[in-house]
Amino acid sequence: MKSENSASMEMRDLYTKLSSKPNGLDTQEASSRLKKYGPNIIARQKNSSQLLIFLKSFSSMMAILLWCSGFIAIFAGMAELGIAIWLVNVINGLFSFWQEFAAKRATDSLMKMLPTYANVYRDGKISKLLATEMVPGDVFLVHAGDSISADARLVETDELQVDESALTGESVLVNKEVEFSKGKGKFAYSNLIYAGTTVSSGDGKALCLATGMDTEFGQIARLTQTAKQASSPLQIELNHLTKQLSAIAILIGLLFFAAAVLFVKNPVADSFIFALGMIVAFIPEGLLPTVTLSLAQAVQRMSKKNALVKNLNSVETLGETTVIATDKTGTLTQNQMTINHVWTSDSEYEVSGQGYSNKGDIREKNKAIDLEKEPALRQLIIDATLNNEAEVQQPKSLKNIPKIIGTPTEAALRILSEKSSIDRSLLEKEMPKIRVLPFDSRRQKMTTIHQLKDGSRAIYTKGALDFVLASCDRIYKDGKILSITDEDKKEIYAANRTYAEDGLRSLAFAFSTNNDRFDPKEYSIQNCERELVFIGLAAMSDPPRPEIYQAVRKAHSAGIKIIMVTGDSEITAKSIAVKIGLVSDKVRVVTGQELDSMNDQQIKEALKGEIIFARVAPEQKFQIVSSLQSLGHVVASTGDGVNDAPALKKADIGVAMGVTGTDVAKDAADMILTDDNFASIVAAIEEGRAVYSNIQKFLLYILNSNLPEAVPSILFLLSRGTIPLSLTVMQILTVDLGTDMLPALGLGAEQIEAGVMERPPRDRKSHLLGKDLIIKAFCWYGMIGSLVSTAAYFFANSKFGWPSAALATSGINYHQATTMTLSAIVFCQIAAALNARTQDTSLFEVGIFSNHRVNFGIFFEIILLVLLMYTPIFRSVFQTAPLTVDEWILLACLPVPIVLLEELRKFIFRQKKNN
């Protein structure tokens, strides 16, 4: 149903159209409509079936490569190896599926789709029903504090004000009334209320127009859910890495096959089996489990830091973030309006936790002011106390804190009143409220009328300075009511300007007494809001979160640009941004109106410098995010309202607020902040960077053993068989699938390395398997391992008479020599696991034994090596033999010089970096 038609139509015609009546529907008709329209819920985005999600965990490009590797191993006559590779794939797939399922379950627990109950007329009387059972044509009641369950036309109102920020992004309360008024904007009809919004004050009775996905809330949700989700950068990078590793493995296999046939003159069948074994050996079977474990560990750590990630791959995307487009209220600030200063023509007062003090008077900083000696201050506090609809809702449990129902501004005034010696309950008894003229955006004021004991009446008004001052012809000064002068006005505006420059928002107060000049029935705006006495100003702010300063510094040091996108005023936005170090004082502030007049190129040029967006609508955030992405940025965007959802979906990382966020925003986001805190985003980015770093550490570790594994075959081929294979294919695969796996998984869970947030974001053109990593893996770690293992092979043969005697090609001597080669590679890998734990930082600084998973993996390597040597069944399969005591002593000493050599390289690198 069109909003304007529903708002402007005569009420009796609307009842007729909806086949309803003022006392609502009967139960039978409501049941019939519930079957027709369905339950009143916002349908969640349709995810793939659990079966498809389960199968997806086994069908990534790397997983397919492992399925093929297992098949090749079985085809090559190594059935045990093939089955082992497949088991690795199965275990990883199950683990990945479980992590995704757990994340989804946690997200679902956060979602609270609609209020649980609603007060609905059924069979002519009020019934408390589940909100999901509401249908079009229902008549229902709303009260202060209620979440509105459906789109509806108001039938009756009593000082009703609604917070529509979830739809519009505007934090200003909207005055609702029965009379039709179109207003400006899509949701500006005065007599319509919308699902997903909240009643801040007053009461109302309404006719339900639409429920569920037919509401405005639901329509935006549907638009958001149709947007397609692109592959994450990590998915793209892993696919690229899989292609690289596959190409390398196949190329090496072909080279070894050709060399075996042409140089060694091996039979084609044997050469083919040999080549297949090399292909399998060069494929990192542990990559997928390590990546999954790294992501899962990061997700768990992030959840402890108040960030719930819905998709494992989103973790790494966070690490690439170059821009954060963030809201202000509640994210950078505490979303707790606090009054800092009170100004009257008599004096200026500072407000603290202890109470009031004269500004600059250190002696009275913690002393309560005697309000009897400060008449103007007392009058302003009385105004703030009586002209206030905020109420304290006592908690149901002692574990919870009291909740103030009402606007943040009135809550701040309530606290201001509590800090004084004025007893609110006594004041309200002495001066009962007899009429309220609610705040509205047109006149920017709220007025209450009170009955005094002597039969006269008092009027108290608060609102925007310009509008309140325009209604005043007098001023309260020195305990007297005097005519207001131009000098008085200059002084007032000067104080207001000072507060605005400090990022404070001012609220003006005025009053009038002995108002018996008109009949009580004529308490109209025109009669009450004129010839008032100006009292003063209360200056308030939404203070920055205490942890925001460090979070901003950390983001900037990490090369991340932060752009504030807020619906607040330009002055307030700039003041807060400069105060917390987000931008410099020379920042450009672009308003939503200015943004509408800019073309794409102008927006892109503006985004290259320091910029803040103020007075913007949530839908404009989508435009800002799109422009940033077109400039090559990886964008994290925050939001909480329904209209934020498209921008959250568009962003590379959508970040929804868990406390104040709507369900549609949470559904569209990749990450949900359970504390609505910007610092949690920065902490999550740090974890994302650690994940990418850990995957690279894992790659460095597993790839460095490939060269020592390949050297025996190279020597065998180049010598045309004179130098026997010092490592068999089964022994190579023992390293890849046995000894290497657990330390590699341990590296995937390495803690965040110091300095990770002092580097710029990763360039999307760079790859996991980059030039630097290849050089370090093969030309440094790999070369050391190759020299050591080859030397170990010849050392073992020297015991059998080499070089005087020929190298052993079979029997116990040959098996001991190959076992010594295998063991040397394993002990070099022990050193490599320790060295790979840090990129530049000293291992001794992070602690040799601080990663328990790596330590356990090293222990497992040694135990497995012992089993291979001393267990008959393994000795038979892997062609190993026991080593002597002196060989064990030599092996135990190997990691020490390798670790120290790497420490020297890291030290030299750090010195160069510092210089």
Side-chain angles (χ1 to χ4, degrees):
M1 185 174 289
K2 294 280 185 181
S3 292
E4 188 165 352
N5 290 342
S6 303
S8 59
M9 189 181 295
E10 287 290 332
M11 203 64 224
R12 60 177 179 274
D13 296 333
L14 193 56
Y15 277 123
T16 302
K17 188 163 188 173
L18 290 169
S19 301
S20 183
K21 48 189 179 296
N23 61 351
L25 304 172
D26 58 47
T27 303
Q28 186 176 354
E29 176 61 23
S31 299
S32 174
R33 294 190 186 192
L34 188 61
K35 292 178 182 177
K36 178 181 178 181
Y37 294 105
N40 180 28
I41 59 173
I42 301 300
R44 297 285 303 281
Q45 182 172 352
K46 288 186 178 180
N47 295 315
S48 304
S49 68
Q50 292 297 328
L51 177 61
L52 288 176
I53 295 173
F54 181 76
L55 294 175
K56 186 180 176 183
S57 302
F58 302 93
S59 58
S60 67
M61 191 171 287
M62 179 58 75
I64 291 169
L65 180 60
L66 292 184
W67 293 125
C68 294
S69 300
F71 177 77
I72 291 170
I74 293 171
F75 182 77
M78 297 175 281
E80 298 89 347
L81 173 64
I83 293 170
I85 294 172
W86 284 354
L87 281 174
V88 168
N89 223 9
V90 169
I91 292 169
N92 177 73
L94 290 171
F95 184 67
S96 178
F97 170 75
W98 172 251
Q99 286 294 328
E100 296 283 1
F101 177 76
K104 181 180 181 297
R105 188 172 58 180
T107 304
D108 289 343
S109 70
L110 262 184
M111 301 294 190
K112 298 170 184 173
M113 297 306 296
L114 283 172
T116 308
Y117 294 98
N119 295 309
V120 184
Y121 280 91
R122 287 286 168 86
D123 300 318
K125 59 184 180 181
I126 289 290
S127 300
K128 193 173 184 179
L129 303 175
L130 286 170
T132 55
E133 296 176 5
M134 288 184 63
V135 294
D138 266 330
V139 176
F140 63 102
L141 302 178
V142 291
H143 307 287
D146 286 354
S147 289
I148 297 170
S149 306
D151 288 0
R153 164 80 177 268
L154 288 166
V155 180
E156 296 175 8
T157 60
D158 182 10
E159 302 167 5
L160 183 66
Q161 288 185 297
V162 177
D163 179 358
E164 294 185 344
S165 58
L167 279 175
T168 65
E170 289 288 336
S171 57
V172 177
L173 298 182
V174 181
N175 192 41
K176 292 293 183 178
E177 51 199 23
V178 175
E179 290 75 21
F180 168 69
S181 174
K182 188 173 182 180
K184 293 181 180 180
K186 185 176 180 182
F187 307 107
Y189 301 106
S190 61
N191 59 355
L192 295 185
I193 53 176
Y194 303 96
T197 60
T198 308
V199 179
S200 293
S201 61
D203 304 290
K205 180 178 178 182
L207 172 64
C208 178
L209 304 173
T211 58
M213 296 301 287
D214 293 328
T215 62
E216 296 289 354
F217 193 97
Q219 291 299 314
I220 297 172
R222 182 177 283 114
L223 286 173
T224 304
Q225 292 170 8
T226 56
K228 292 184 178 179
Q229 190 76 37
S231 296
S232 75
L234 183 60
Q235 289 172 312
I236 295 169
E237 185 54 33
L238 286 176
N239 288 342
H240 179 83
L241 178 63
T242 302
K243 292 173 184 175
Q244 282 181 304
L245 294 174
S246 301
I248 292 171
I250 292 169
L251 179 61
I252 289 172
L254 290 173
L255 288 173
F256 275 89
F257 174 74
V261 172
L262 298 176
F263 285 93
V264 187
K265 307 299 182 182
N266 268 3
V268 173
D270 291 348
S271 299
F272 182 68
I273 297 298
F274 175 67
L276 288 180
M278 294 307 298
I279 289 173
V280 174
F282 272 80
I283 292 171
E285 290 82 6
L287 178 62
L288 265 187
T290 302
V291 170
T292 305
L293 181 67
S294 296
L295 296 173
Q297 289 289 318
V299 166
Q300 290 176 12
R301 289 194 297 267
M302 288 162 67
S303 66
K304 294 175 183 177
K305 297 177 181 178
N306 303 304
L308 174 65
V309 178
K310 294 163 60 179
N311 185 300
L312 285 180
N313 287 322
S314 298
V315 174
E316 196 279 327
T317 309
L318 277 162
E320 296 183 33
T321 301
T322 59
V323 175
I324 304 173
T326 177
D327 292 324
K328 177 183 73 67
T329 304
T331 309
L332 300 176
T333 64
Q334 299 178 35
N335 197 22
Q336 294 177 356
M337 199 62 76
T338 305
I339 294 176
N340 312 93
H341 298 83
V342 174
W343 184 95
T344 69
S345 58
D346 293 344
S347 185
E348 184 177 7
Y349 310 88
E350 291 184 354
V351 184
S352 64
Q354 290 78 24
Y356 308 84
S357 61
N358 285 301
K359 188 175 182 182
D361 192 338
I362 299 173
R363 293 169 304 168
E364 295 189 6
K365 206 70 174 174
N366 297 317
K367 291 171 64 179
I369 283 181
D370 184 353
L371 292 181
E372 296 301 328
K373 296 179 181 179
E374 305 285 344
L377 176 61
R378 175 181 172 79
Q379 192 65 38
L380 187 145
I381 294 172
I382 290 174
D383 194 333
T385 304
L386 294 175
N387 186 0
N388 196 321
E389 296 288 280
E391 294 292 338
V392 176
Q393 186 181 65
Q394 294 301 326
K396 296 179 181 178
S397 168
L398 293 175
K399 296 180 181 179
N400 299 322
I401 60 174
K403 177 183 177 183
I404 296 182
I405 297 176
T407 68
T409 298
E410 292 198 334
L413 293 175
R414 178 77 188 265
I415 294 169
L416 179 77
S417 174
E418 295 289 339
K419 290 177 180 178
S420 73
S421 57
I422 293 174
D423 186 329
R424 173 176 170 153
S425 59
L426 182 62
L427 190 64
E428 288 176 339
K429 287 179 182 177
E430 291 177 351
M431 304 172 67
K433 190 185 299 179
I434 56 176
R435 176 76 167 149
V436 176
L437 302 174
F439 174 90
D440 67 56
S441 55
R442 294 186 296 274
R443 63 184 225 285
Q444 294 284 304
K445 293 192 292 287
M446 173 182 174
T447 296
T448 55
I449 299 94
H450 301 263
Q451 184 71 52
L452 304 183
K453 286 183 177 180
D454 61 4
S456 64
R457 292 172 291 280
I459 293 174
Y460 291 101
T461 298
K462 69 173 186 289
L465 175 59
D466 287 340
F467 292 86
V468 171
L469 200 54
S471 301
C472 297
D473 59 0
R474 290 164 292 166
I475 188 169
Y476 197 61
K477 185 186 293 187
D478 299 325
K480 302 174 184 176
I481 297 176
L482 307 172
S483 296
I484 197 165
T485 66
D486 290 340
E487 285 301 315
D488 291 328
K489 291 181 179 180
K490 283 181 183 179
E491 192 179 355
I492 293 166
Y493 277 115
N496 187 65
R497 187 164 52 253
T498 301
Y499 292 140
E501 289 169 354
D502 288 339
L504 303 178
R505 174 186 162 201
S506 296
L507 195 66
F509 294 84
F511 78 107
S512 177
T513 57
N514 299 319
N515 292 289
D516 51 4
R517 61 184 183 271
F518 51 84
D519 188 274
K521 295 179 181 178
E522 297 176 3
Y523 289 138
S524 63
I525 291 171
Q526 293 76 16
N527 284 335
C528 294
E529 293 180 355
R530 64 185 178 88
E531 299 176 15
L532 300 178
V533 181
F534 185 83
I535 311 171
L537 302 168
M540 63 194 77
S541 69
D542 182 5
R545 289 179 177 269
E547 61 275 17
I548 196 65
Y549 301 93
Q550 183 181 354
V552 168
R553 284 196 298 270
K554 186 180 280 190
H556 283 164
S557 69
I560 299 168
K561 185 174 183 177
I562 307 170
I563 299 176
M564 181 192 288
V565 185
T566 178
D568 219 326
S569 71
E570 305 95 296
I571 295 175
T572 303
K574 181 178 177 180
S575 173
I576 291 291
V578 172
K579 183 176 182 179
I580 64 177
L582 206 67
V583 292
S584 70
D585 193 48
K586 296 179 180 178
V587 66
R588 178 180 178 184
V589 182
V590 175
T591 64
Q593 188 175 3
E594 187 180 350
L595 184 63
D596 281 337
S597 65
M598 297 168 69
N599 59 39
D600 289 343
Q601 190 57 40
Q602 288 173 323
I603 294 172
K604 290 176 184 177
E605 284 300 317
L607 287 168
K608 291 177 182 178
E610 280 193 327
I611 192 168
I612 291 171
F613 292 94
R615 299 282 190 200
V616 297
E619 49 267 26
Q620 290 178 305
K621 194 182 292 185
F622 182 91
Q623 184 182 11
I624 294 167
V625 170
S626 299
S627 297
L628 285 166
Q629 288 175 326
S630 67
L631 289 170
H633 286 291
V634 178
V635 184
S637 179
T638 70
D640 54 10
V642 178
N643 273 9
D644 287 320
L648 294 176
K649 196 80 170 182
K650 174 66 176 171
D652 299 279
I653 287 289
V655 183
M657 303 298 111
V659 179
T660 59
T662 59
D663 302 316
V664 174
K666 293 174 190 174
D667 220 13
D670 303 290
M671 184 171 81
I672 299 170
L673 301 182
T674 57
D675 61 350
D676 291 8
N677 194 338
F678 179 86
S680 299
I681 304 174
V682 178
I685 289 174
E686 190 172 21
E687 290 290 351
R689 290 193 173 189
V691 165
Y692 190 84
S693 175
N694 286 350
I695 295 172
Q696 285 197 311
K697 290 172 184 176
F698 162 79
L699 277 174
L700 174 64
Y701 172 71
I702 60 167
L703 291 177
N704 89 86
S705 64
N706 282 352
L707 189 60
E709 290 168 354
V711 164
S713 300
I714 293 171
L715 292 175
F716 172 74
L717 294 172
L718 292 178
S719 67
R720 297 195 174 189
T722 304
I723 302 176
L725 283 170
S726 58
L727 206 63
T728 66
V729 171
M730 285 301 292
Q731 288 171 348
I732 289 173
L733 295 167
T734 299
V735 175
D736 290 343
L737 282 177
T739 59
D740 265 5
M741 284 290 283
L742 287 183
L745 290 172
L747 287 171
E750 186 69 36
Q751 292 295 317
I752 298 170
E753 188 174 348
V756 73
M757 289 297 279
E758 294 173 8
R759 306 168 191 156
R762 178 175 76 84
D763 188 344
R764 277 199 163 180
K765 294 179 182 177
S766 66
H767 296 296
L768 278 167
L769 192 58
K771 181 178 68 175
D772 291 344
L773 192 145
I774 291 172
I775 291 173
K776 190 187 286 187
F778 291 104
C779 300
W780 179 242
Y781 285 16
M783 190 61 69
I784 293 171
S786 299
L787 291 172
V788 170
S789 60
T790 302
Y793 170 72
F794 287 108
F795 170 77
N797 273 286
S798 69
K799 289 187 163 190
F800 313 130
W802 181 86
S804 301
L807 294 165
T809 57
S810 62
I812 187 65
N813 290 350
Y814 173 70
H815 291 162
Q816 278 192 326
T818 58
T819 303
M820 188 62 183
T821 307
L822 170 65
S823 301
I825 291 174
V826 170
F827 275 85
C828 285
Q829 284 300 91
I830 290 173
L834 295 172
N835 287 334
R837 286 185 55 201
T838 63
Q839 289 185 345
D840 310 321
T841 309
S842 170
L843 173 64
F844 301 107
E845 188 176 323
V846 299
I848 296 177
F849 304 109
S850 58
N851 188 325
H852 302 305
R853 285 187 172 86
V854 169
N855 297 335
F856 178 76
I858 290 171
F859 176 75
F860 174 80
E861 281 185 293
I862 297 171
I863 295 298
L864 182 59
L865 203 55
V866 170
L867 290 173
L868 291 175
M869 292 182 204
Y870 298 100
T871 306
I873 187 170
F874 287 137
R875 287 169 56 182
S876 171
V877 173
F878 292 95
Q879 298 179 320
T880 56
L883 298 180
T884 61
V885 174
D886 58 333
E887 287 171 329
W888 273 111
I889 293 173
L890 176 64
L891 290 171
C893 293
L894 282 180
V896 177
I898 297 174
V899 168
L900 293 177
L901 192 61
E902 173 65 357
E903 282 296 304
L904 178 61
R905 186 199 67 79
K906 289 177 180 176
F907 174 76
I908 294 170
F909 179 85
R910 289 196 301 272
Q911 291 299 110
K912 285 184 177 180
K913 185 179 178 182
N914 291 337
N915 292 334

